Amino acid sequence: MRWEGDRESSNVEDLRGQGGGGGFGFGGRSVGIGTIVIALIGSWFFGVSPGTILNLLTGGGAPTVQQAPQQRTGPEDEQTRFVRTVLAYTEDTWTEIFREHGGTYKPPTLTIFENATRTGCGTGRTAAGPFYCPADQHVYIDLAFYNLMRQRFHESGEFAQAYVIAHEVGHHVQNLMGIMDKVDRKRQAMDEAQANALSVRVELQADCFAGVWGNRTNQAKNILEQGDVESALHAATAIGDDTLQRQSQGVVVPDSFTHGTSAQRVRWFKRGIDSGDVRQCDTFGASQL
């Protein structure tokens, strides 16, 4: 992936080295989707924080800790610059897409943390994987997750790493469009299986939005190199609910899916990156995913 020398976003705060946010503080009780995913795979890869659903349903949420960005030196410098550059790409791309449709894009803040941090959706930690909190409009990531991608998923491609960020920003786009509010209201009147099925549509749309970002950013910046798209598709395959459940518990439970199968995640990401058109990402209107 070609990215060196391009603009870096200023909407990044680095909280590493500042202690973290304590325990996994989501209100002392577990309900719905987060409980299922934590029980199955120990973390929620590439999605909304497990605490998001709990706090939206209960009206809770811890205040965001505002801390000054940290200056980092050493081997993580290049990775931090990469994250800042990818976020800048998302800002440029979604600003243009929103403008084309008569809207104004308000970018999220990306918070880099280690171990744990407080968020508007409760206390998040590394085990939750990268996540987006609609309450404070922040994307949260512990860069150690990229090590997990290499070790568990055998995926180290930079475009696959960019896909992680683009997916979370896709949730931010959904939030700005009012999709997440509508989904959360509907989810409250559903049983667990129905709520899970709706969550799948949310996640697959974020995958599609990530694909749209890849298409449009490549048109503007020519970032893609040979093998980049394949690396992102491999990452999408690796984090399908069916694949993760099969690896973690040996059986697949479709009613508990919250992010979609490997095939579905690949299909919707590919739909976005092939078309570059957000109108192709209507997972809620699709009869088949």
Side-chain angles (χ1 to χ4, degrees):
M1 177 177 168
R2 305 181 190 92
W3 62 273
E4 292 277 4
D6 284 344
R7 180 179 76 86
E8 298 178 23
S9 174
S10 60
N11 293 313
V12 175
E13 61 179 8
D14 191 342
L15 303 185
R16 292 173 293 177
Q18 297 188 23
F24 203 35
F26 291 130
R29 68 188 186 94
S30 297
V31 297
I33 298 169
T35 303
I36 296 170
V37 180
I38 292 170
L40 290 177
I41 61 175
S43 60
W44 192 339
F45 297 107
F46 298 93
V48 180
S49 162
T52 296
I53 303 303
L54 300 181
N55 281 273
L56 286 172
L57 291 177
T58 62
T64 304
V65 176
Q66 298 293 338
Q67 303 184 56
Q70 289 285 299
Q71 297 296 319
R72 302 291 291 189
T73 58
E76 289 181 314
D77 280 356
E78 181 175 357
Q79 196 166 59
T80 304
R81 288 192 297 106
F82 171 76
V83 168
R84 292 180 182 273
T85 303
V86 171
L87 188 65
Y89 288 150
T90 68
E91 292 166 352
D92 294 344
T93 294
W94 285 110
T95 294
E96 179 63 19
I97 292 174
F98 270 60
R99 185 194 63 78
E100 290 172 1
H101 293 271
T104 301
Y105 180 67
K106 178 185 176 183
T109 297
L110 187 149
T111 298
I112 302 173
F113 72 99
E114 54 189 5
N115 301 320
T117 188
R118 291 189 180 183
T119 82
C121 299
T123 302
R125 63 178 181 179
T126 301
F131 61 91
Y132 172 70
C133 173
D136 60 22
Q137 298 192 3
H138 281 223
V139 170
Y140 292 89
I141 185 170
D142 185 331
L143 298 185
F145 182 76
Y146 289 143
N147 294 330
L148 177 64
M149 287 182 65
R150 287 188 287 269
Q151 295 166 7
R152 179 171 180 179
F153 303 139
H154 308 292
E155 183 53 68
S156 58
E158 288 180 329
F159 189 63
Q161 295 177 3
Y163 157 61
V164 175
I165 297 171
H167 175 97
E168 301 310 331
V169 171
H171 284 309
H172 178 65
V173 171
Q174 290 173 316
N175 194 29
L176 294 180
M177 295 171 68
I179 293 171
M180 297 190 80
D181 283 341
K182 292 178 181 178
V183 166
D184 287 320
R185 285 195 297 270
K186 289 183 178 180
R187 188 183 277 127
Q188 292 182 51
M190 293 177 170
D191 63 27
E192 191 173 273
Q194 291 172 326
N196 289 346
L198 192 57
S199 177
V200 167
R201 292 181 185 269
V202 172
E203 297 299 330
L204 294 179
Q205 185 176 65
D207 282 333
C208 188
F209 283 170
V212 169
W213 163 81
N215 176 294
R216 296 290 294 262
T217 302
N218 188 53
Q219 287 185 37
K221 293 290 188 177
N222 192 31
I223 62 171
L224 293 180
E225 298 179 296
Q226 185 175 0
D228 280 349
V229 173
E230 289 76 11
S231 73
L233 293 174
H234 178 263
T237 299
I239 47 84
D241 284 325
D242 53 339
T243 300
L244 290 172
Q245 288 186 2
R246 193 175 293 111
Q247 291 175 350
S248 64
Q249 61 187 25
V251 295
V252 174
V253 185
D255 281 351
S256 69
F257 288 175
T258 58
H259 285 61
T261 67
S262 294
Q264 288 170 337
R265 302 202 71 166
V266 166
R267 184 180 306 122
W268 283 96
F269 175 78
K270 196 169 186 301
R271 187 167 184 168
I273 201 167
D274 287 347
S275 69
D277 185 356
V278 293
R279 293 170 296 184
Q280 298 298 314
C281 297
D282 183 11
T283 56
F284 300 98
S287 57
Q288 290 187 326
L289 296 176

